[in-house]
């Protein structure tokens, strides 16, 4: 029997929708139309799986890069936002711990905030979404103890985890809300408690950001244990967290935090042992993501020249390897790698990574 694999066409990470981002950045609109037609051939989701990286919100983000997102897609996305906010409010009213998918960048409210923040004019629903993220700074009771408001009873793999965990990364962790709340502040958009929440998340990452995620054992320790050697990337690890910390510092005028974040990026990306753990060229966890991240850090630094050798090295590594990627898509494939290689962001595509 032959198994037919249906392509994830409306998926921004690996489907045709994500590949259209490269076409639009290149101004190859004929190829973009072909990819967009492929992406929407089976319809576009506005259900519970709709997010910045799937379905209607993902489609709006891509169309908006070509100034082609109309009222129909925005209205569909607004319905998604309303449904996700209503679910979050029900969970908050029950005093329950959230699942990562409620609020993270890839599946949750952080991604929707990034999308709404990129609309012009700014979306009327954005303050409600930011307020939902600010509420994560409020501790919650779980397992007879107080836990951070973003703590999840499930582990990073979605399965029940003894004691739960606090995710720290940019893609699925609290660095994502930190980044988008900070970006909003930099654009002059704030809701009550937003600066305090930025401070809460940033201070947590000062203590726990060396780990992909934190456990209750970390909470009970006088100091969190030293982190095991791990791949350092955009999605998980200190470089992505450092960019979020730099954005927080810029939003709050915290020179010491900004300097520390920039130092973290410089130290990690000149360490041969850490660089040796990076094994591909993808945006998500490889050279492409680190290259775009370092460019963003340098652009916001008062000493951008210190990052020039790092950027040259990352570009060299990416150029030598990207064509070997087996996937064609955006987050883990050749399209995303080429976007980084071409070093342009005229369409604002890097907002989907919360780098800008």
């Amino acid at each position: 029997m032959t198994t037919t694999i249906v392509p994830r066409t409306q998926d921004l990470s690996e489907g045709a929708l994500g590949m259209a981002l490269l076409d639009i950045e290149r101004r190859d609109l004929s190829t973009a139309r072909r990819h967009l037609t492929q992406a929407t051939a089976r319809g576009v989701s506005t259900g519970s799986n709709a997010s910045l990286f799937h379905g209607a919100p993902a489609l709006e983000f891509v169309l908006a890069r070509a100034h082609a997102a109309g009222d129909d897609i925005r209205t569909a996305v607004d319905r998604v936002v309303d449904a996700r906010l209503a679910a979050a409010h029900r969970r908050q009213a029950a005093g329950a711990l959230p699942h990562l998918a409620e609020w993270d960048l890839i599946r949750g409210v952080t991604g929707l905030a990034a999308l709404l923040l990129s609309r012009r004019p700014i979306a009327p629903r954005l303050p409600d979404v930011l307020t939902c993220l600010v509420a994560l700074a409020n501790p919650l009771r779980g397992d007879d103890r107080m836990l951070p408001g973003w703590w999840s009873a499930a582990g990073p793999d979605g399965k029940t985890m003894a004691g739960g965990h606090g995710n720290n990364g940019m893609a699925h962790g609290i660095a994502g809300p930190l980044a988008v709340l900070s970006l909003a502040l930099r654009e002059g958009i704030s809701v009550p408690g937003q600066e305090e929440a930025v401070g809460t998340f940033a201070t947590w990452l000062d203590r726990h950001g060396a780990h992909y995620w934190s456990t209750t054992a970390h909470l009970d320790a006088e100091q969190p244990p030293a982190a095991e050697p791990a791949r350092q990337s955009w999605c998980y690890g200190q470089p992505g967290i450092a960019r979020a910390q730099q954005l927080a510092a810029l939003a709050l005028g915290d020179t010491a935090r900004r300097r520390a974040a920039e130092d973290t990026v410089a130290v990690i990306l000149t360490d041969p042992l850490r660089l040796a753990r990076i094994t591909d060229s993808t945006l998500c966890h490889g050279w492409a993501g680190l290259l775009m991240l370092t460019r963003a850090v340098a652009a916001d630094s008062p000493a951008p020249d210190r990052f020039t050798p790092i950027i040259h090295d990352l570009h060299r590594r990416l150029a030598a390897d990207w064509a070997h990627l087996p996937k064609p898509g955006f987050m883990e494939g050749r399209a995303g790698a080429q976007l980084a290689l071409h070093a342009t962001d005229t369409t604002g595509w890097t907002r989907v990574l919360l780098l800008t």
Side-chain angles (χ1 to χ4, degrees):
M1 183 177 68
T2 301
T3 301
T4 300
I5 299 175
V6 178
R8 293 157 51 191
T9 54
Q10 58 177 302
D11 178 65
L12 186 60
S13 295
E14 294 307 318
L17 196 54
M19 293 164 69
L21 280 177
L22 175 61
D23 305 328
I24 295 168
E25 184 67 25
R26 288 174 163 174
R27 300 185 182 180
D28 182 359
L29 297 185
S30 62
T31 305
R33 290 187 192 97
R34 177 167 58 82
H35 279 135
L36 288 166
T37 298
Q38 181 183 351
T40 57
R42 293 179 174 86
V44 179
S45 176
T46 57
S48 60
N49 65 345
S51 68
L52 178 59
F53 281 79
H54 185 82
L59 178 60
E60 181 190 335
F61 184 85
V62 174
L63 290 174
R65 300 317 98 201
H67 307 288
D71 289 342
D72 53 346
I73 187 65
R74 290 195 184 97
T75 298
V77 169
D78 287 346
R79 291 198 297 270
V80 172
V81 172
D82 290 344
R84 298 300 288 274
L85 288 177
H89 293 156
R90 289 193 295 272
R91 192 270 308 165
Q92 291 166 358
L97 294 171
H99 191 282
L100 297 184
E102 175 189 304
W103 57 264
D104 73 8
L105 172 62
I106 303 298
R107 298 165 295 175
V109 176
T110 295
L112 296 177
L115 172 60
L116 298 183
L117 186 60
S118 71
R119 279 189 189 177
R120 293 296 179 270
I122 296 295
R125 284 170 172 77
L126 180 59
D128 293 335
V129 176
L130 297 179
T131 298
C132 184
L133 292 173
V134 165
L136 294 173
N138 299 323
L140 291 171
R141 179 166 291 280
D143 292 335
D144 296 322
R145 65 185 300 167
M146 296 307 294
L147 295 166
W150 61 92
W151 201 263
S152 172
D157 60 0
K159 299 178 181 178
T160 300
M161 178 179 181
H165 85 295
N167 205 289
N168 297 325
M170 183 71 96
H172 295 293
I174 200 60
L178 175 61
V180 79
L181 290 172
S182 300
L183 286 166
L185 285 173
R186 294 188 74 192
E187 294 189 26
I189 302 167
S190 65
V191 296
Q194 187 167 334
E195 291 191 11
E196 292 80 1
V198 166
T200 295
F201 302 152
T203 300
W204 168 272
L205 291 172
D206 288 341
R207 178 177 173 86
H208 296 279
H211 294 266
Y212 279 10
W213 53 78
S214 303
T215 67
T216 51
H218 294 180
L219 298 182
D220 294 334
E222 184 175 338
Q223 287 292 332
E228 296 289 331
R231 181 191 64 214
Q232 299 296 318
S233 61
W234 165 81
C235 60
Y236 271 112
Q238 290 178 281
I241 290 171
R243 175 55 176 166
Q245 291 277 46
Q246 185 195 35
L247 289 170
L250 292 166
L252 300 179
D254 188 337
T255 301
R257 184 179 300 283
R258 178 194 55 74
R259 187 181 300 117
E262 293 169 13
D263 288 347
T264 294
V265 172
V267 168
I268 287 174
L269 297 184
T270 54
D271 182 341
L273 294 178
R274 286 174 166 135
L275 292 174
R277 293 185 174 274
I278 301 161
T279 58
D280 67 47
S281 296
T282 63
L283 279 175
C284 189
H285 40 251
W287 303 120
L290 291 171
L291 177 57
M292 295 309 299
L293 184 153
T294 307
R295 285 181 179 137
V297 169
D300 281 329
S301 172
D305 291 348
R306 72 183 296 205
F307 298 100
T308 300
I310 299 172
I311 290 170
H312 287 166
D313 179 58
L314 294 172
H315 188 275
R316 175 185 62 79
R317 294 173 187 269
L318 175 61
D321 190 60
W322 75 269
H324 300 130
L325 290 171
K327 296 181 180 180
F330 174 64
M331 287 296 282
E332 295 186 2
R334 296 185 298 276
Q338 288 177 87
L339 277 164
L341 194 64
H342 295 328
T344 61
D345 186 22
T346 58
T347 63
W349 68 266
T350 56
R351 173 56 59 85
V352 80
L353 304 177
L354 291 183
L355 294 178
T356 59

